[in-house]
Every structure is written in structure tokens, then in C-alpha cells.
Amino acid sequence: MSGWYELVTMVGFLYCNKLFEYERSYREKGLSLKQIYNRRLKDQKPVIEAFLSWLDQLHPESGDRLIKAINYSNGCRPFMMNYLKDGACSLSNNLSENSIRPLVVGRKNWLFCDTPAGADASMKIYSMIETAKANELDPLKYLSFLLEHRPGAEMSDGELEQFAPWSKLAQETCK
């Protein structure tokens, strides 16, 4: 039974790996979003259909992890082909996962904020750091930039706008 489990696991891995190989080749070729859309329908849709057909043939009698994996895959069926609908969609949710990771780590750190004001200050710092990253700025340079210029509530919206991470001044100073 162990050999069967390993074989099934390997076959499932190979289906997934094939999809990621296609995605990697599209990036390497520099395809446009429209070209990616068309290539996904041509290349990847048959791989997903074959995977689902293969999945229908599996009926394990034991192996909790394998049964969980099959049940998880079957639960995802209605959504598996959604990324094929748009060349801008991602096969993986890694970008989303990585973007929220600081919040998950921060959540544990916030347990040690012993006052609401401390938690509020931490939230503001994390927000500034993540906004700087989202605007392709060096977070340390951006925080230094803000501390050097000390924008404040008494400034007009126009004056404050020059300190936003997307402003020309911040972009020139904090890359």
C-alpha cells in the first residue's frame, strides 16, 4: 500500500509541476497577458482536465493524508480553472500569502503591546513599511525620510501629499 501512496503522490505532484513549468516558460518568453491567456487555454486546460479525470479514478481505502488531499482537490474543482480566464491571474496564491506574512508575524508581536497606544503606534509603523514596499521604496530610507521631514497634522493636504510613498519626492529620495 505504501508504494501505491507514493506513486499517487508523485503523479499528483507531476500534474502540478507541469502547470508551473508552463507558467515559468511564459514569463521567460515575456508573453503579453493576452498571449498568456491563449497559451493557458491551449497548454494548461488539458493538464487540469487530465488531473481531474485522474482524480476521479482514485478511491483510496486508507491513508488519511491522501484522502484529505483528494477531498481538498475535489472541493477546489469549481475554482481550479478560474485562473485560465485572465492572463493577469496567478496560478499560485504565493504573492497573496507573502504579502500578509508580515501581518501574521506582527500579530504575535502585538501580543506584547501592553497599551492600546503602543498597539496603535505599531500598526502605523507596519502600515508605513508595507506601503513603502508596495511602492517599491526602501522601507528604512522611507522611514528616515519621514522622520527627517516630520510631516504633521498642521500641514495642508497638498503639503502632506509630497510625503506619500508614491510622490515624486519620496520616489526620488527613497529608492
Side-chain angles (χ1 to χ4, degrees), residues 66-172:
L66 182 58
I67 292 170
K68 284 181 183 178
I70 291 169
N71 288 339
Y72 176 80
S73 296
N74 282 327
C76 293
R77 274 178 190 257
F79 315 108
M80 279 191 188
M81 294 208 189
N82 281 349
Y83 83 101
L84 298 175
K85 296 176 182 177
D86 187 336
C89 290
S90 178
L91 170 62
S92 167
N93 69 344
N94 285 346
L95 288 174
S96 298
E97 294 280 336
N98 289 338
S99 71
I100 65 170
R101 186 166 286 116
L103 298 174
V104 174
V105 171
R107 186 177 58 211
K108 290 185 179 189
N109 293 336
W110 298 326
L111 293 173
F112 300 102
C113 292
D114 54 355
T115 66
D120 188 58
S122 293
M123 177 267 310
K124 289 175 182 171
I125 296 292
Y126 285 124
S127 295
M128 287 188 283
I129 289 170
E130 291 306 313
T131 305
K133 287 180 188 176
N135 285 276
E136 299 178 356
L137 299 179
D138 178 314
L140 182 59
K141 287 182 181 179
Y142 183 62
L143 290 176
S144 296
F145 169 74
L146 292 176
L147 290 171
E148 287 170 12
H149 293 89
R150 297 176 30 139
E154 70 283 349
M155 293 181 162
S156 69
D157 288 348
E159 290 172 315
L160 286 173
E161 183 70 24
Q162 70 180 333
F163 299 108
W166 51 84
S167 73
K168 184 178 178 183
L169 180 60
Q171 288 289 317
E172 291 172 353

